[in-house]
Amino acid sequence: MIGNSNDDFTLSVKDVTKRFGRGKQQFTAVNKISLEATTDSAIGVIGESGSGKSTLARMIVGFEKPTEGTITINGLPLEQWMANPTDLLEYRRIVQYVAQDTSSSFDPKKKMGESIAAPIRKLLKIHDKDEIVQRTETIVSELGLDVALCSRYPRQLSGGQRQRFALARSLVVSPKLLICDEVVSALDVSVQGAVLNLIKKESAKRGIGLVFISHGLPATAFISSDLMVMKQGDVVEAGSVQEVIEHPRHEYTRALLHAYSYGQSSSEQVLSEQSQGSNPSSKELGNELV
Ligand SMILES: Nc1ncnc2c1ncn2[C@@H]1O[C@H](COP(=O)(O)OP(=O)(O)OP(=O)(O)O)[C@@H](O)[C@H]1O
């Protein structure tokens, strides 16, 4: 097996480009993007629809191959992790991806408990039935779900409950990096804040790095310590949340901030929500934020 994923984790994305199509139809979805993430990172990726956010995420998890550039984890190229089944499984364990559409990410024929148990068996290689049940029930209750919901099918849950199960399924394998791709966009506003608080609290508590992709600036600023702003495949702005919000250099970032001004200076508003929310036990994120 390559690497030792129990050591510190570093993801390095260097000058990564993705082009789709051929000839005259070819276009660049992601253009020479670089980023570095560790278990301490909380990187927010924000940008309009079609700016390349999901393509970037899909390359990091290995669902798309970069046209150019390199992705390494703990110094080893992603292709090397993908080259044999054992390393691939380990990569799937340490880098977890939660997407927006939870209705299609669960097998409709499997009860929720079985969907949580599957990665325990496959990625943690635990086969003892009692231990699987115990781990499943622990993570499910830690994420604020009633254990009884484990015997329901995906269609029998609300969107918010399914999203929590999706997080449970990712967290149960103790990943090093969690990539959340528009995980709250499809949820009713009444549960968005709760799910955001959960992601922030659980990733900090468990020492999991976060890449949080969203259209929503306040939610992304709340979750993240650094921000990357994407537009048409390019990163037009990057830095700490405070830098980007207080000194937006690109017109697009300024327009985003302007859109979220609710009565006071937009940068003050976003930053105060971020700092208040940085300790969810003292101040939980309001549901109206996203
Ligand atoms: N497999 C593919 N084949 C061809 N084009 C693709 C493919 N995947 C994505 N694209 C295109 O690449 C561009 C970037 O898409 P991507 O899904 O990464 O954007 P996004 O910023 O995540 O958008 P959204 O916020 O709407 O999810 C879009 O123009 C999209 O149509």
Coordinates of all heavy atoms in Angstrom, one line a residue, residues 20-21 27-30 47-56 58 64 100 181-182 213 215, ligand 1:
F20 N -13.3 20.1 -21.8 CA -14.3 19.2 -22.3 C -14.4 19.4 -23.8 O -14.2 20.5 -24.3 CB -15.6 19.4 -21.6 CG -15.6 18.9 -20.2 CD1 -15.8 19.9 -19.2 CD2 -15.5 17.6 -19.8 CE1 -15.9 19.5 -17.8 CE2 -15.6 17.2 -18.5 CZ -15.7 18.1 -17.5
G21 N -14.8 18.4 -24.5 CA -15.1 18.5 -26.0 C -13.9 18.4 -26.8 O -12.7 18.4 -26.3
F27 N -13.9 23.4 -24.8 CA -13.9 24.6 -23.9 C -13.3 24.2 -22.5 O -13.2 23.0 -22.2 CB -15.3 25.2 -23.7 CG -16.1 24.6 -22.7 CD1 -16.3 25.1 -21.4 CD2 -16.7 23.4 -22.9 CE1 -17.0 24.5 -20.4 CE2 -17.5 22.7 -22.0 CZ -17.6 23.3 -20.8
T28 N -12.8 25.2 -21.8 CA -12.0 25.0 -20.6 C -13.0 25.2 -19.4 O -13.4 26.3 -19.2 CB -10.8 26.0 -20.5 OG1 -10.1 25.8 -21.7 CG2 -10.0 25.7 -19.3
A29 N -13.2 24.1 -18.7 CA -14.1 24.2 -17.5 C -13.4 24.7 -16.3 O -13.9 25.3 -15.4 CB -14.8 22.9 -17.3
V30 N -12.1 24.3 -16.2 CA -11.2 24.6 -15.1 C -9.9 25.0 -15.6 O -9.3 24.3 -16.4 CB -11.1 23.4 -14.1 CG1 -10.0 23.7 -13.1 CG2 -12.4 23.2 -13.4
G47 N -18.8 30.5 -6.6 CA -18.8 31.0 -8.0 C -20.1 30.7 -8.6 O -20.9 29.9 -8.2
E48 N -20.4 31.4 -9.7 CA -21.7 31.3 -10.4 C -21.8 29.9 -11.0 O -20.8 29.1 -11.1 CB -21.8 32.3 -11.4 CG -20.8 32.2 -12.5 CD -20.7 33.4 -13.5 OE1 -21.5 34.4 -13.2 OE2 -19.9 33.3 -14.4
S49 N -23.0 29.5 -11.4 CA -23.3 28.2 -12.0 C -22.4 28.1 -13.3 O -22.3 29.0 -14.0 CB -24.8 28.2 -12.3 OG -25.1 26.9 -12.8
G50 N -21.8 26.9 -13.4 CA -21.0 26.7 -14.6 C -19.6 27.2 -14.5 O -18.8 27.1 -15.5
S51 N -19.2 27.7 -13.3 CA -17.8 28.3 -13.2 C -16.7 27.2 -13.0 O -15.5 27.5 -12.9 CB -17.8 29.3 -12.1 OG -18.2 28.7 -10.8
G52 N -17.1 25.9 -12.8 CA -16.1 24.9 -12.8 C -15.9 24.3 -11.4 O -15.0 23.4 -11.2
K53 N -16.7 24.7 -10.4 CA -16.6 24.2 -9.0 C -16.7 22.7 -8.9 O -15.8 22.1 -8.3 CB -17.6 24.9 -8.1 CG -17.6 26.4 -8.2 CD -18.7 27.0 -7.3 CE -20.1 26.7 -7.5 NZ -20.7 27.1 -8.8
S54 N -17.7 22.2 -9.4 CA -17.9 20.7 -9.3 C -16.9 19.9 -10.1 O -16.4 18.9 -9.7 CB -19.3 20.3 -9.8 OG -20.3 20.9 -9.0
T55 N -16.5 20.5 -11.2 CA -15.5 19.8 -12.0 C -14.2 19.7 -11.3 O -13.5 18.7 -11.2 CB -15.3 20.5 -13.4 OG1 -16.5 20.6 -14.1 CG2 -14.3 19.8 -14.3
L56 N -13.8 20.8 -10.6 CA -12.7 20.8 -9.7 C -12.8 19.7 -8.6 O -11.9 18.9 -8.4 CB -12.5 22.1 -9.1 CG -11.4 22.3 -8.0 CD1 -10.0 22.1 -8.7 CD2 -11.4 23.7 -7.4
R58 N -14.7 17.1 -8.7 CA -14.7 15.7 -9.3 C -13.3 15.3 -9.7 O -13.0 14.1 -9.7 CB -15.7 15.7 -10.5 CG -17.2 15.9 -10.0 CD -18.1 16.0 -11.2 NE -18.1 14.9 -12.1 CZ -18.6 13.7 -11.9 NH1 -19.3 13.5 -10.8 NH2 -18.5 12.7 -12.8
E64 N -13.1 12.6 -12.5 CA -12.7 13.2 -13.8 C -11.2 13.3 -13.8 O -10.6 13.5 -12.7 CB -13.2 14.7 -14.0 CG -14.7 14.9 -14.0 CD -15.3 14.6 -15.3 OE1 -14.6 14.2 -16.3 OE2 -16.5 14.7 -15.4
Q100 N -24.8 17.3 -3.8 CA -26.1 17.9 -3.5 C -27.3 16.9 -3.5 O -28.1 17.0 -2.7 CB -26.3 18.9 -4.6 CG -27.6 19.6 -4.6 CD -27.7 20.7 -5.7 OE1 -26.8 21.0 -6.4 NE2 -28.9 21.2 -5.9
D181 N -20.2 19.4 -1.9 CA -20.6 20.1 -3.1 C -22.1 20.5 -3.1 O -22.9 19.7 -3.3 CB -20.3 19.2 -4.3 CG -20.3 19.9 -5.6 OD1 -20.7 21.1 -5.7 OD2 -20.0 19.3 -6.7
E182 N -22.3 21.8 -2.8 CA -23.7 22.3 -2.8 C -24.6 21.5 -1.9 O -25.7 21.1 -2.2 CB -24.3 22.4 -4.2 CG -23.6 23.2 -5.2 CD -23.8 24.7 -5.0 OE1 -24.5 25.1 -4.0 OE2 -23.2 25.5 -5.7
I213 N -18.1 23.8 -1.4 CA -18.4 24.4 -2.6 C -19.9 24.9 -2.6 O -20.8 24.1 -2.2 CB -18.3 23.3 -3.8 CG1 -16.8 22.9 -3.9 CG2 -18.9 23.9 -5.1 CD1 -16.6 21.7 -4.8
H215 N -22.9 28.2 -4.0 CA -23.2 29.5 -4.7 C -23.3 30.6 -3.6 O -23.2 31.7 -3.8 CB -24.6 29.5 -5.3 CG -24.7 28.6 -6.4 ND1 -25.5 27.4 -6.3 CD2 -24.3 28.6 -7.7 CE1 -25.5 26.8 -7.5 NE2 -24.7 27.5 -8.3
Ligands
LIG1 N1 -18.8 15.7 -18.4 C1 -18.9 16.9 -18.9 N2 -18.9 17.1 -20.3 C2 -19.0 18.3 -20.9 N3 -19.1 19.4 -20.2 C3 -19.1 19.4 -18.9 C4 -19.0 18.1 -18.1 N4 -19.1 18.4 -16.8 C5 -19.3 19.7 -16.7 N5 -19.3 20.3 -17.9 C6 -19.4 21.7 -18.2 O1 -18.3 22.4 -17.5 C7 -18.7 23.6 -17.0 C8 -18.4 23.7 -15.5 O2 -19.4 22.8 -14.9 P1 -19.4 22.6 -13.3 O3 -20.5 21.6 -13.0 O4 -18.1 22.3 -12.9 O5 -19.8 24.0 -12.8 P2 -20.3 24.5 -11.4 O6 -19.6 25.7 -11.1 O7 -20.2 23.4 -10.4 O8 -21.8 24.8 -11.6 P3 -23.1 24.6 -10.7 O9 -22.9 25.6 -9.6 O10 -24.3 24.9 -11.5 O11 -23.1 23.2 -10.2 C9 -20.1 23.8 -17.4 O12 -20.2 24.6 -18.6 C10 -20.6 22.4 -17.6 O13 -21.7 22.3 -18.6

